[in-house]
Amino acid sequence: ELARDDAMEYGLLVMGAPYTSAAPHSALRFAKAVISRGHQVAGVFFYQEGIHNASSLMTPPQDELNMRDAWIALHHEHGVTLDVCIAAALRRGVMSEAEAKRHGQAHFNLDAPFELTGLGQLLTLQQRCDRLITFA
């Protein structure tokens, strides 16, 4: 267990899609490892293809890790915020119920604890943390 002064706060930038890139799985393993060593993960920002981690329509085989569920578990167990770049998400057809209504779409595939945010949220995360680690 680390002394309070030695604990670091990390932010994660995930830019790879689940199941086509090792980035999300690596980021999740990294988050669990630093938390187990007494550090904190303040938040995860999903950008570019990484936004697909938030899709509620993702349905991997039962014997595979469901990345979305794993991120949600990290949020519930450790209070890690899960921010999704709104511009990247809308461009790729990932949207919340509010955005679906706003754009006249019949369906949505992003809900809490994932939150659509702008790039300003990434900058805030970077400023708040000791380290921002990119997984691309």
Side-chain angles (χ1 to χ4, degrees), residues 35-52:
I35 289 168
S36 74
R37 288 172 176 77
H39 300 290
Q40 286 187 302
V41 175
V44 181
F45 191 90
F46 298 95
Y47 188 49
Q48 294 180 347
E49 298 305 316
I51 59 89
H52 292 292

Side-chain angles (χ1 to χ4, degrees), residues 78-93:
H78 303 286
V80 177
T81 60
L82 304 173
D83 291 318
V84 179
C85 177
I86 189 167
L90 292 178
R91 187 176 289 122
R92 291 165 176 84

Side-chain angles (χ1 to χ4, degrees), residues 17-136:
Y19 313 112
T20 57
S21 164
H25 203 260
S26 296
L28 189 62
R29 282 197 323 266
F30 178 85
K32 290 178 177 180
V34 297
I35 289 168
S36 74
R37 288 172 176 77
H39 300 290
Q40 286 187 302
V41 175
V44 181
F45 191 90
F46 298 95
Y47 188 49
Q48 294 180 347
E49 298 305 316
I51 59 89
H52 292 292
N53 284 274
S55 174
S56 61
L57 296 177
M58 197 175 8
T59 313
Q62 286 184 337
D63 62 342
E64 281 184 30
L65 175 68
N66 183 314
M67 289 302 298
R68 180 177 176 273
D69 290 351
W71 289 117
I72 291 171
L74 188 72
H75 166 79
H76 288 307
E77 292 164 23
H78 303 286
V80 177
T81 60
L82 304 173
D83 291 318
V84 179
C85 177
I86 189 167
L90 292 178
R91 187 176 289 122
R92 291 165 176 84
V94 174
M95 63 188 71
S96 63
E97 186 173 16
E99 286 300 315
K101 285 180 181 163
R102 197 165 82 91
H103 294 282
Q105 298 288 350
H107 304 285
F108 66 96
N109 57 345
L110 181 143
D111 48 25
F114 291 94
E115 193 174 332
L116 289 173
T117 60
L119 280 174
Q121 194 64 31
L122 175 59
L123 187 61
T124 300
L125 180 65
Q126 183 179 18
Q127 290 171 341
R128 174 182 167 190
C129 295
D130 298 304
R131 298 273 187 279
L132 179 71
I133 311 293
T134 301
F135 295 87

